[in-house]
Amino acid sequence: MIRRVEVIPYALPLREPYVTSRGRLERRELILLRLTDADGLVGLGETTSMSLRGGRALEAIAAELRRLARLVADEPAGVSAHRLSRELGSPEAACALSIAVMDIELRREPAPAPAPVSVNATLSSGSPGEVASTAAAWAARGFSTFKLKLGTVDDVAQAEAVREAVGAEARIRVDANGAWSAGEATRILAQLEPVGIELCEQPVASLGEMAVVRAATEIPIAADESVTDPAGARRAAELGACDLATLKLAKVGGPVAAERGEWAMPVYVSSALEGPVGIAAAGRVAAAMDSAGAGAGIAHGLATQLLFAETVAARGPEIRDGTLVIPDGPGLGVELDDEALARHRL
């Protein structure tokens, strides 16, 4: 039974502006959820807004979660997590609740940390020279898979520069965030085929357009914004729109939804630029999928904590030689730095 709910919006500054076809971020706004159960165990959850992708604004998500706090206050004996979940209207809010419950369950019944998972470096869009320099720096840290944000300018030149910087053996994936038309995507991907591209995420906005693009290119196509639940994945498979899909916990409703969903195609886990709590939960989902053979067998997009200039964790996930290392417990293995959290509260 849940006795207390605390909702904490906060923001983390990025080391460099994060530039994609959907805009430019100087910082990432997030929501930390802190649950206390009847035994005094505290679970941490986290979520963020998917508003650039058509999701709810951060304020609306926080309002949903504050309704949980009011519900708990009205029932001093506590409220079940199942009942709390019925009060939520968005996958982003459900994500925070699901992660916090996961943290409490792991504190009650500890489980060993999973094996490290392979992760990709994320390259913000920029000039070819800037992007190549950043890619070389990531490669020096042990990364062998690189994700390049496209859909702005000089798409082909950026990819060619990254290939030259990281060498022939590295894997390069690209992500247009739905910025291209079907015609643009077909033309650009044809130019990118000689570069050697592992996959292209969300080249166009709709599944119908994606099916057209997939039929015209040898580069595997991955859905992101177009697949938010198993029904969407089944629809994508029926249309022949993509070869695989990427799951973000805030997009699909949290770790339980991600792990139990029947996705109709190979999947891998990506970050929505979450903080340490969200990354720890996503890392456990990715490790579970890898262990069960349920994933796509490729690097996950979970190294984004390196994009931040600061953190609110005194202890949390680490990036080592191109892998995400999940710490041992208690719980998810994240310990907050209360002073840092206070500095970054909104």
Side-chain angles (χ1 to χ4, degrees):
M1 300 291 282
I2 305 302
R3 290 190 179 276
R4 185 167 181 243
V5 176
E6 186 180 3
V7 180
I8 308 169
Y10 75 102
L12 288 177
L14 293 156
R15 294 182 185 276
E16 302 289 342
Y18 185 71
V19 181
T20 75
S21 64
R22 290 181 175 266
R24 173 187 176 102
L25 289 177
E26 305 281 347
R27 67 177 190 173
R28 187 55 160 164
E29 296 183 351
L30 301 149
I31 299 173
L32 187 73
L33 179 67
R34 189 150 44 195
L35 299 183
T36 305
D37 77 357
D39 298 320
L41 291 174
V42 176
L44 300 175
E46 191 172 55
T47 193
T48 189
S49 170
M50 307 294 287
S51 58
L52 290 178
R53 301 159 181 262
R56 305 192 74 179
L58 195 81
E59 295 80 3
I61 301 165
E64 286 183 76
L65 293 171
R66 289 190 182 103
R67 282 204 299 273
L68 304 186
R70 290 195 293 272
L71 181 61
V72 168
D74 290 342
E75 299 191 25
V79 183
S80 71
H82 176 70
R83 179 173 175 186
L84 291 178
S85 69
R86 296 201 301 268
E87 299 293 317
L88 300 174
S90 72
E92 295 97 326
C95 174
L97 177 61
S98 180
I99 292 173
V101 171
M102 180 183 190
D103 194 22
I104 287 176
E105 290 174 346
L106 286 170
R107 290 173 188 274
R108 181 172 288 112
E109 297 184 11
V117 296
S118 177
V119 290
N120 69 257
T122 298
L123 306 172
S124 179
S125 185
S127 72
E130 291 170 338
V131 174
S133 177
T134 302
W138 284 94
R141 299 188 66 157
F143 286 89
S144 59
T145 301
F146 303 82
K147 175 178 172 179
L148 173 59
K149 290 289 189 175
L150 297 183
T152 53
V153 294
D154 297 327
D155 287 330
V156 176
Q158 286 187 69
E160 290 173 339
V162 171
R163 173 57 71 199
E164 183 174 352
V166 301
E169 299 303 315
R171 295 187 175 193
I172 299 174
R173 60 183 66 161
V174 297
D175 180 8
N177 290 114
W180 296 327
S181 68
E184 287 173 327
T186 300
R187 173 178 57 81
I188 293 169
L189 292 180
Q191 294 175 282
L192 288 177
E193 284 184 11
V195 178
I197 301 299
E198 179 190 38
L199 60 88
C200 176
E201 282 186 21
Q202 200 69 38
V204 291
S206 72
L207 290 177
E209 292 174 302
M210 203 179 297
V212 172
V213 173
R214 182 179 181 234
T217 182
E218 295 297 318
I219 296 173
I221 301 299
D224 182 359
E225 291 89 339
S226 291
V227 171
T228 60
D229 54 30
R234 289 192 297 272
R235 175 64 174 158
E238 290 166 0
L239 290 173
C242 53
D243 301 277
L244 61 169
T246 183
L247 307 182
K248 293 179 170 68
L249 298 192
K251 177 180 74 171
V252 304
V256 173
E259 285 193 61
R260 295 183 183 174
E262 297 181 1
W263 296 104
M265 64 186 69
V267 295
Y268 57 105
V269 183
S270 291
S271 161
L273 292 182
E274 293 98 339
V277 176
I279 292 296
R284 283 186 172 268
V285 172
M289 287 182 170
D290 287 351
S291 177
I298 60 176
H300 300 276
L302 297 174
T304 50
Q305 67 190 63
L306 295 180
L307 301 177
F308 290 106
E310 300 181 45
T311 183
V312 294
R315 180 172 179 268
E318 298 180 8
I319 305 297
R320 300 179 195 162
D321 296 324
T323 66
L324 177 69
V325 179
I326 307 299
D328 285 318
L332 291 168
V334 178
E335 295 179 9
L336 293 179
D337 180 333
D338 290 329
E339 291 184 2
L341 181 60
R343 287 197 307 273
H344 294 296
R345 289 184 73 141
L346 294 174

